[in-house]
Every structure is written in structure tokens, then in C-alpha cells.
Amino acid sequence: MSIIVCPGIHDRTFTQSFISGLFDGSIGQNQANILVFPGKDFLNLSALHILEFLRDRLNNSFQSPLIFISFSAGVVGAIGAAHLWQHLGGRVKAFIAIDGWGVPLQGNFPIHRMSHDYFTHWSSSLLGSGQNNFYADPAVDHMSIWRSPETVQGWWVDSSIGIFPPKGHLSAAAFLRMLLERYEAN
């Protein structure tokens, strides 16, 4: 399994911090092939650039199922790349959008949204959300959920039944690890 991380438009050290906060030793980074799209500035919006990166890093092999983790502006390019990957015969195990506010998300693969506050969670879900989502509570600034997911607390919610009952208060990193462990097992 490969994990493709598609950052937004921000300092690259925030993405390094995100990966460190996510993989704190509880999930082996060795078990998954983690690929970080190195796009700069507006290339993160380009599905074609992300697809080209994937094809290069995976040697045009569509055998490895992918999990997309994308943030902010990177959600725009990543959702397009996920659809293109599938169109070319690849498999998308899951798509995780972190603060992809205003980006419509649909696909025939599992989709999860994570938001830095309840308003972003609620308003983004109007554009598609899937099941098992997360929002920070108390609310944090936009960059905190990416830069320090291990420190951001919030609620895991399941919108698959049309209501948003709290399932449990946990960190954003714990929520992400839970999803990754679930998809590693399947």
C-alpha cells in the first residue's frame, strides 16, 4: 500500500511536522510507502502533475493501492489525481481531505473529511463527505491541523446515516492512524 501526501501551499517544514506527528511510532512507516508530492506553489492544484509524480515514483505500476491524504489547496489536485489514477486502472483505497473547504468530493472510493472547526466541517459536507469524518473542537487555526495533528483534539463523526452524532473525542493524528490501520487491514 502506498500513501500519497498532497500538501497545500505553505512552508514544507509543516508537511514534515505533519508526517512526524502522524507516524509517532504507532504505525510503522515501513509498512507503507509514503510519497510526498513535492509540488511548489500552484503545482499542488494540478491533478496532472500529481499523477505524473505517482507514475514516476511507482514506475507506472498500478498494482499498489493508494491512500490519498491531502491538505487545503492540495485537495484540489489530489481529488483529480485520484480519479485519473482509477481511470488508468489503479486502485484508490481511500481519500482523506484535510481542510479542503469548498472542494466538491465525490468518487467510488471511501472519502473522509477533516476540518479545523465545526463550521468548515458542516459547510464542506454539503459538497460531499463520505463516512467517518473529523472536526477540531475546540476550533484551531487552519495550519494547526496540518502542522501538529497530534495536538489537535476533536470529534470523530459518522455522516453516513444523515446525522452527525459524536463518536468520540480524540486527536486528529489518532483519527488518521485509525483510518490508516483500517485500510491496511483490508
Side-chain angles (χ1 to χ4, degrees), residues 70-72 75 97-101 114-117 120 141-142 145:
S70 55
F71 172 67
S72 192
V75 175
I98 301 174
D99 256 4
W101 189 79
M114 297 180 66
S115 303
H116 75 278
D117 64 10
T120 304
D141 67 276
H142 173 65
I145 196 165

Side-chain angles (χ1 to χ4, degrees), residues 37-119:
F37 179 66
K40 191 172 178 185
D41 299 324
F42 295 104
L43 288 182
N44 296 350
L45 299 166
S46 171
L48 292 176
H49 283 91
I50 295 170
L51 179 65
E52 182 69 26
F53 169 79
L54 285 172
R55 292 180 74 178
D56 178 60
R57 292 300 186 278
L58 298 173
N59 297 317
N60 278 322
S61 171
F62 296 97
Q63 302 306 313
S64 178
L66 295 180
I67 293 177
F68 283 79
I69 300 176
S70 55
F71 172 67
S72 192
V75 175
V76 174
I79 192 66
H83 286 287
L84 290 170
W85 185 258
Q86 270 198 329
H87 181 71
L88 293 172
R91 180 169 170 229
V92 177
K93 271 191 135 176
F95 188 89
I96 302 166
I98 301 174
D99 256 4
W101 189 79
V103 180
L105 296 180
Q106 294 181 358
N108 59 351
F109 40 80
I111 293 174
H112 308 279
R113 280 196 189 260
M114 297 180 66
S115 303
H116 75 278
D117 64 10
Y118 182 76
F119 175 77

Side-chain angles (χ1 to χ4, degrees), residues 121 131-135 154-161 163-170 175 178 182:
H121 163 73
Q131 299 176 341
N132 295 310
N133 302 298
F134 174 93
Y135 68 89
W155 294 102
W156 160 25
V157 293
D158 183 349
S159 59
S160 63
I161 56 175
I163 58 173
F164 303 96
K167 292 264 189 167
H169 201 257
L170 69 167
F175 176 77
M178 176 195 69
R182 179 175 134 197

